[in-house]
Amino acid sequence: MRKITRRGIALGMLAGLVAVPASIPALAQDGAPAEISHRQSVLTELSSTGEAGTSRVFTQLNVAGEGPVEVVLERQSTRGLRNLGGIGRPSTDGDSVVWGIDATPDGVNKRTVATNTADLPVDIEIAYEFEGEAIEDPSDIVGRTGELTVTYKVRNNTAREEEIDIFNARQEPTTEMVDVGVPIVGSLSLPLDERFTNVRADDANVAGDGRGNTVVNWSMVLFEPLGSFEQEVSWTAQVSDAIVPEANAQLMPVSSESFPSLPNAQSAYADTFAGLQQITDGAVRIDMTMIAIADGSGQLLDGMNQIADGSGELADGLVQAADGSGELAAGTGEASAGSRELASGLGELRDGAGQLSGGLGEIDAGANALSGGLGEIDAGTRQLSGGLGEIDTGARQLSGGLGEIDAGTRQLSGGLGEIDAGAEALADGLGAAAPGAAEIRDGLRALLAGVGSPEQGGTVIGGLTELRAGLADIGTPLGDALAGALVSSELRTELIAGLQAQLAPVLGEDQAAVFAPLIVNGLTQAMAEDFAPQFGAGFAASPEWQQGVLGGVDLLLAGMNRPDCDRSSPETCGVKQVLELLAAGQAELADGLKEAADGSRELAAGTGEAAAGSRELAAGTGQAAAGSRELAAGTGQAAAGSRELAAGTGQAAAGSRELAAGAGAAADGGVALSDGLGQIDDGANQLASGLGDARDGSGQLAEGAGDLAEGGEGLDDALNELQEFGTNKILNDVSRAGLQPDRLLKQAQAADERAKAGDGLPYGTVEGADASAVYQFEIAGVGADEGVSTPVRAGAALLAFGAVGALGMGVRRRLI
């Protein structure tokens, strides 16, 4: 049977993992749409006990688009960097790897390998037992026969403490520290040949390949809250002529976009929390209902006690009423006789009350008129007081504002005074410098004359124009003509004069007169001897040069002379136009500054007077406001007194009218009273008889009300205990139960955020690219020279890939 090496099968599996297709839009250098995917695969060799050895990182880029694209991968490993996809290699800049790719719509692949220098997010420890005895050196197992147990401990090292805010089901917050790691899932698998029998492995997929070989595979979720940061798995088998088998682990960072269990778990936690909130809301309503029932039972109990107390008092009262009814019957007879005398006196009272009511009515009308007038005066004085108060406030604000303006204008006046003094000094200085200014103007004019125009020979522009026209004669005559122009005494004289005028303000007239001829003569002589002949010969031999020189001369002419430029924007003008602007400009600053200083002094004087006037206005309005307030207070008191007077007279008048009416009614009622008391006397005798019967019934009512009150006390106690130990406890327990699903939800969300931020990637990636990573560990075996057979390895690989697919291990990091 043909066998392959461990390294070969690992590279094949790794290539399959790297080649997962995916893309996200990016832009090429020319702005055209492009798609870039970036796959990082770290392959690490482990010893049979888990110590890390050689570790390499494989990178694959796929760029689809049109035209050149430069891809810069930052924070990369460049140690031992090699191109796996053809000739050549990418360039490096520090820890950056740069690819220049001519992209096509079908996509261009670039693959590299380098030594891995990044920390591994996962480590694996392996322990061995043979016949129940711990084995430190796995090589001691080779060749033996017996029961072998191998344990793998896989640990996610990315966990870190983070502070999160969680809520109970009543939305009451609390803060906790939880471990948040990068979500990592994967599988660990190993092949066992026919030497291994009776294979037992908890929580693993154990499958046969039909040839007597066994493949064992575990799926792992190495992050909380869906799994744990550390998982331990083991297998046990009977082995003859033992070897230590190889194993392989594939682990990937995932996010909610690539691992469906993560968003499903978050949704489940959120639904659980929402359900507990609904239960809590129901418990709150039940608890509030129980409180209301308990309150109602208390009120019912109070009512029962009141009924019991009242029925007893009723019984006692009826006894007293029965005794008093006899006395009432005797008294009503006497009252009937007196009522007849009362009816006679009330008739006389009715006549006097009518006269009193008429007089008090007139007094009431006058008091009401007085109260109304004083009320209007009081309202007017209050409006006056308020208006003067507002005027006083405004005047004070005006005074303050004018004071600030006065202070500001005084500062402005002082500053402009200083400017005025400086302007006068400047004017004196300009007067003293007038001869120098004349020389500057003369120099500018001379420079303008040297610049000239296209029609003026012997000037810069004229010479350039003649040079442009003479370029049609190609060859040596061009060089001779150029040399002749350069050594022309007329041109030199103009150039010396212009340069001397420019140097004079800097070096002084004497030094400028010395250096200007030296600079111009030396420059023109060197150009005539060296540049002109070479220029003529080169110009004759190169049409491209001719066109370039013509273009250069045109640019020089355009830069020297632009008669149609916008003179308000000097950057659009030529040298000649700028010199004309300089020659025409003269300063008028001193007169303007003096006028500004004079005006500021007048303004300062005016604002000072305005400020003083505003302060006097504020003082006057303040006094007026104070007087208006005193007037308002006096009229208010007068109005209040008039209202009290009107109220008193009104009451007196009303009382007199009521007295008159009452006296009349009393007179009429006196007669009716006499008749009624006769009827009362008859009823009092009947009441005395009925109260005797009521006295006997009230005793029975008091006894029943007492029994009812005792039963109400028991009901109130039971309801209070049910609310305290029943509904209230349920409410608190359900509310606290909401902390756990919210804690799990926040922990899962924090882990997902780390994944989306790319914390699981070993190296940097491309902005806008679809990036993923896989960590593969090859665990070495002991005792097999060439490793296990191809079918066994193939079965292990297929089972591993099946587990990876089931877990959704295609992590994507979308960089927006």
Side-chain angles (χ1 to χ4, degrees), residues 20-27 34-40 59-64 69-74 76 101 257 755-758 761 763-773 811-816:
V20 177
S23 63
I24 279 205
L27 291 179
E35 296 179 345
I36 300 177
S37 65
H38 183 200
R39 306 288 174 237
Q40 303 180 49
T59 300
Q60 176 172 310
L61 282 175
N62 183 278
V63 181
V69 178
E70 183 181 74
V71 180
V72 180
L73 301 175
E74 298 180 346
Q76 304 293 303
I101 300 174
E257 297 175 354
K756 291 179 179 177
L761 297 177
Y763 298 99
T765 187
V766 185
E767 183 177 359
D770 174 20
S772 68
V811 62
R812 297 181 180 179
R813 177 186 175 199
R814 296 185 179 270
L815 302 176
I816 304 301

Side-chain angles (χ1 to χ4, degrees), residues 393-788:
T393 301
R396 292 180 185 278
Q397 293 176 348
L398 174 62
S399 175
L402 289 175
E404 294 178 359
I405 292 174
D406 178 53
T409 53
R410 290 181 186 278
Q411 294 177 355
L412 175 62
S413 175
L416 290 176
E418 295 177 1
I419 293 173
D420 177 50
E424 291 176 356
L426 176 60
D428 295 339
L430 289 173
E439 293 179 2
I440 293 173
R441 286 194 296 273
D442 293 341
L444 288 172
R445 290 168 182 167
L447 187 57
L448 274 171
V451 171
S453 65
E455 298 80 14
Q456 292 179 312
T459 64
V460 175
I461 296 176
L464 287 174
T465 303
E466 293 175 359
L467 177 62
R468 178 67 174 80
L471 285 176
D473 298 328
I474 300 172
T476 303
L478 178 62
D480 296 339
L482 180 60
L486 290 171
V487 297
S488 168
S489 60
E490 183 178 358
L491 178 60
R492 288 192 183 190
T493 300
E494 296 293 339
L495 292 175
I496 290 171
L499 181 60
Q500 184 175 347
Q502 292 180 358
L503 294 177
V506 181
L507 303 178
E509 292 290 343
D510 295 339
Q511 295 295 327
V514 173
F515 284 104
L518 292 176
I519 293 171
V520 172
N521 291 334
L523 180 61
T524 57
Q525 185 65 35
M527 292 181 68
E529 293 176 356
D530 296 329
F531 170 73
Q534 295 177 11
F535 172 79
F539 190 85
S542 174
E544 293 82 2
W545 192 7
Q546 295 170 22
Q547 294 300 320
V549 170
L550 290 173
V553 172
D554 290 339
L555 290 175
L556 285 173
L557 283 170
M560 294 296 296
N561 186 23
R562 293 184 182 176
D564 57 346
C565 71
D566 182 2
R567 294 179 180 262
S568 63
S569 301
E571 66 274 7
T572 66
C573 297
V575 174
K576 181 178 180 180
Q577 285 71 43
V578 173
L579 289 174
E580 290 173 349
L581 289 172
L582 291 174
Q586 294 297 325
E588 297 179 0
L589 177 62
D591 291 341
L593 290 176
K594 187 174 185 307
E595 292 178 3
D598 293 340
S600 68
R601 284 191 288 271
E602 293 177 3
L603 175 62
T607 53
E609 294 176 0
S614 69
R615 286 191 288 273
E616 294 177 1
L617 173 61
T621 54
Q623 294 175 357
S628 69
R629 286 192 290 272
E630 293 178 0
L631 175 60
T635 55
Q637 292 175 357
S642 68
R643 285 192 294 273
E644 292 178 0
L645 174 62
T649 56
Q651 292 175 358
S656 67
R657 288 190 292 272
E658 292 177 358
L659 175 61
D668 296 336
V671 177
L673 175 62
S674 178
D675 296 337
L677 285 175
Q679 297 175 359
I680 291 173
D681 182 47
D682 296 335
N685 292 321
Q686 296 176 358
L687 176 63
S689 176
L691 286 175
D693 298 335
R695 176 184 56 198
D696 299 334
S698 64
Q700 298 175 355
L701 175 62
E703 183 178 355
D707 296 338
L708 182 61
E710 292 179 0
E713 290 179 357
L715 174 62
D716 185 59
D717 293 340
L719 288 172
N720 287 329
E721 290 181 2
L722 177 60
Q723 193 273 331
E724 181 178 357
F725 301 106
T727 58
N728 195 31
K729 186 175 186 303
I730 292 173
L731 173 61
N732 292 333
D733 291 344
V734 174
S735 177
R736 283 193 299 270
L739 291 172
Q740 180 64 5
D742 196 49
R743 181 187 299 108
L744 297 176
L745 174 61
K746 299 298 176 54
Q747 187 179 22
Q749 290 173 338
D752 195 19
E753 288 300 319
R754 290 197 62 185
K756 291 179 179 177
D759 288 358
L761 297 177
Y763 298 99
T765 187
V766 185
E767 183 177 359
D770 174 20
S772 68
V774 60
Y775 297 88
Q776 179 161 315
F777 298 90
E778 292 182 346
I779 303 170
V782 181
D785 294 336
E786 297 186 5
V788 296

Side-chain angles (χ1 to χ4, degrees), residues 66-150:
E66 294 184 0
V69 178
E70 183 181 74
V71 180
V72 180
L73 301 175
E74 298 180 346
R75 302 184 305 280
Q76 304 293 303
S77 171
T78 59
R79 186 185 303 171
L81 179 66
R82 291 187 293 113
N83 182 5
L84 296 177
I87 301 174
R89 53 168 287 177
S91 61
T92 58
D93 182 9
D95 63 353
S96 295
V97 175
V98 182
W99 283 101
I101 300 174
D102 191 9
T104 66
D106 294 333
V108 176
N109 284 326
K110 297 294 183 181
R111 297 185 297 115
T112 61
V113 63
T115 300
N116 177 47
T117 58
D119 293 335
L120 297 172
V122 175
D123 59 46
I124 302 175
E125 297 178 6
I126 305 100
Y128 300 87
E129 287 186 7
F130 196 84
E131 291 294 321
E133 178 186 356
I135 304 297
E136 296 292 334
D137 186 357
S139 62
D140 292 341
I141 298 172
V142 176
R144 299 174 64 179
T145 298
E147 185 178 78
L148 174 63
T149 298
V150 182

